[in-house]
Amino acid sequence: MTIKDYKFAGKKAIVRVDFNVPLDENGKITDDTRIRGALPTLKHILDEGGALIIMSHMGKPKGKVQAKFSLSQIKEAVAEALGRPVQFAEDCAKAQAQAAALKPGEVLLLENLRFYPEEEGKPVGIEKEDPAYESAKKEMKARQKEFAKTLASYADCYVMDAFGTAHRKHASTAVIADYFDADNKMLGFLMEKEVAAVDAILKDIKRPFVAIMGGSKVSSKIGIIENLLGKVDKLILCGGMTYTFAKAHGGEIGGSIVELDKLDVALGVEELAKKNGVELVLAPDAICADSFSNDANKKVFPSNAIPEGWEGLDAGPEAQKNFAKAIKGAKTILWNGPAGVFEFDNFCDGSRAIGNAIAEATAEGAFSLIGGGDSVACVNKFGLADKVSYISTGGGALLEAIEGKVLPGVAAIKGE
Ligand code: AMP
């Protein structure tokens, strides 16, 4: 079924969204991209005369109730975004009565699904090495089914619109779909758009295809880096991983972030790039700081000659020029991960240079896809959100989809 074709009038729809928004220390939302992303689906259902049961996770409460991860903190923001009151179910697994009482046009927000370990379906308090682990896992999987069945019982139809968690086979993102027949489950508009954006990158690639991977570590991105080396023409590697590459060649990196056990991985990436004829662009220089703070003293050093007492926190001026040059003329662009500690205003120029270059290439006809919380935050920080082609709400999910994996959240609906 598709969301456009479904008749929501008089029906209750349970919608999995990704409202895992960043909050400041006072519980105030600092970036509402994800809430805005879900609005087309939520408003459509309400406009069509349906009632809404919204479910999401927030943070990593590890199967326990923790006030700092309560979705009650965003209830008012959701109400404001929808332009109508939102009821709240303090226990997502005991919301039968509230769900049953919902009338067309009414909205019920369920408390954080991950307050229950059943949501993720992983046994808690037991190590993988424990001989009892397998039976604990089996038991938890059975409990996960029961939990999903309870959630399913609240509604007539299920809408999956949480792209950010679509790569997880959780109770609310995939297992729940088993309790609805094909005519009563569907992807939401956001999921449809995200899947189409990935298709634009993967199918019929317009070249040159330039990918920019940044962030703190090479280890967490190695899967996608290796995969991209089979697809792109140029790969810019920036951010904290710069120093693992510099170290792998015997460079001096001072106190910069480094993964000493991944030096061979870095060399392997360089080898694979060479073998595949991909131009690898690394930062030759770094803007360094004498402490990890926005107000630290700044000095530029070559990335492989950073003295003790200094650490690289951003791409240097030469690197910024190289990155911009590599991006210019691209026809397909993927950006995931910042070029430095962009959260510090004094160390965000490298990320800004990338953002600006992407905006320029987009104006000249490139398709640019920005994914992952930090690169999205960068684009928003630099006011470039409407100058790129598509901003994905997914980090891990986007990268897995680009690796060509079928996301469980999509498979659960489409039966692939
Ligand atoms: P990731 O979660 O791996 O995508 O990394 C994102 C984080 O990497 C951001 O919070 C950045 O502040 C951080 N980061 C980027 N460059 C550096 C660097 N040179 N040193 C330390 N952290 C960095």
Side-chain angles (χ1 to χ4, degrees):
M1 177 52 70
T2 68
I3 183 164
K4 259 219 171 100
D5 292 333
Y6 194 80
K7 302 278 174 272
F8 286 101
K11 297 276 173 60
K12 289 183 183 118
I14 188 157
V15 187
R16 176 54 155 105
V17 296
D18 181 2
F19 280 175
N20 184 25
V21 289
L23 302 177
D24 66 15
E25 58 280 6
N26 302 316
K28 211 172 152 277
I29 298 171
T30 54
D31 183 343
D32 67 349
T33 306
R34 287 179 162 161
I35 294 181
R36 282 187 283 115
L39 286 182
T41 290
L42 302 179
K43 284 187 168 164
H44 174 76
I45 294 168
L46 292 171
D47 289 349
E48 294 286 305
L52 268 183
I53 299 148
I54 305 175
M55 55 178 175
S56 177
H57 76 286
M58 178 180 272
K60 294 184 175 157
K62 305 240 160 79
K64 279 198 292 269
V65 176
Q66 292 189 52
K68 67 175 172 181
F69 295 121
S70 175
L71 283 169
S72 61
Q73 299 171 96
I74 69 161
K75 178 179 148 248
E76 285 316 316
V78 177
E80 204 171 305
L82 290 174
R84 64 186 76 205
V86 168
Q87 302 170 41
F88 189 69
E90 282 172 24
D91 187 334
C92 64
K94 296 200 175 81
Q96 288 86 349
Q98 278 172 289
L102 280 182
K103 295 191 190 67
E106 290 187 342
V107 185
L108 175 65
L109 173 65
L110 304 184
E111 179 57 290
N112 194 342
L113 297 159
R114 289 193 190 165
F115 283 179
Y116 279 87
E118 285 85 349
E119 164 63 359
E120 294 181 78
K122 270 188 264 159
V124 274
I126 180 162
E127 298 297 324
K128 275 202 176 112
E129 295 70 35
D130 195 311
Y133 182 83
E134 277 311 309
S135 64
K137 193 170 138 191
K138 228 172 150 185
E139 192 215 320
M140 182 52 87
K141 286 286 167 206
R143 278 168 53 185
Q144 185 183 47
K145 281 189 183 165
E146 280 308 307
F147 180 67
K149 196 172 164 188
T150 301
L151 296 172
S153 73
Y154 300 160
D156 303 298
C157 64
Y158 167 62
V159 183
M160 169 58 181
D161 213 20
F163 185 68
T165 41
H167 58 318
R168 307 279 183 222
K169 197 171 177 190
H170 291 169
S172 67
T173 59
V175 182
I176 187 174
D178 290 345
Y179 300 96
F180 294 91
D181 61 36
D183 291 339
N184 289 302
K185 57 185 168 189
M186 66 216 86
L187 298 178
F189 289 121
L190 177 64
M191 282 291 295
E192 285 183 350
K193 249 175 36 182
E194 297 271 8
V195 170
V198 171
D199 278 354
I201 287 273
L202 287 185
K203 296 187 182 143
D204 185 26
I205 299 170
K206 307 268 185 304
R207 295 191 179 276
F209 180 5
V210 180
I212 304 111
M213 301 296 295
S216 54
K217 295 180 190 158
V218 65
S219 56
S220 57
K221 307 251 161 104
I222 185 64
I224 181 75
I225 288 174
E226 285 176 348
N227 190 279
L228 285 171
L229 284 172
K231 296 192 171 87
V232 299
D233 301 289
K234 297 180 197 179
L235 179 63
I236 297 174
L237 293 180
C238 52
M241 62 180 104
T242 306
Y243 311 100
T244 299
F245 282 81
K247 189 78 184 172
H249 289 286
E252 295 297 329
I253 56 165
S256 306
I257 188 171
V258 65
E259 290 177 284
L260 290 173
D261 57 340
K262 294 288 177 294
L263 302 184
D264 55 333
V265 171
L267 295 175
V269 165
E270 291 181 357
E271 218 163 275
L272 186 59
K274 203 181 273 170
K275 189 170 144 236
N276 291 357
V278 173
E279 186 188 329
L280 199 60
V281 185
L282 285 155
D285 58 351
I287 300 175
C288 300
D290 58 358
S291 70
F292 190 81
S293 102
N294 185 45
D295 304 320
N297 290 308
K298 275 164 95 169
K299 211 166 174 179
V300 175
F301 293 104
S303 301
N304 60 1
I306 301 172
E308 276 312 314
W310 293 87
E311 57 187 305
L313 293 192
D314 197 7
E318 199 58 34
Q320 293 175 29
K321 258 191 257 162
N322 292 359
F323 294 168
K325 207 170 118 204
I327 293 166
K328 194 175 168 62
K331 286 285 167 275
T332 304
I333 302 169
L334 170 70
W335 183 19
N336 176 271
V341 184
F342 76 100
E343 297 93 333
F344 295 160
D345 287 348
N346 291 333
F347 295 93
C348 69
D349 284 352
S351 302
R352 190 197 307 273
I354 290 173
N356 284 337
I358 294 175
E360 275 169 36
T362 309
E364 284 166 17
F367 178 82
S368 52
L369 172 51
I370 319 296
D374 286 320
S375 356
V376 175
C378 279
V379 165
N380 288 333
K381 177 172 178 141
F382 307 138
L384 298 170
D386 56 356
K387 296 191 168 70
V388 297
S389 309
Y390 189 75
I391 297 181
S392 174
T393 54
L398 175 75
L399 299 183
E400 286 198 17
I402 287 177
E403 280 185 52
K405 293 183 186 159
V406 178
L407 303 177
V410 176
I413 302 285
K414 295 195 167 175
E416 281 164 11

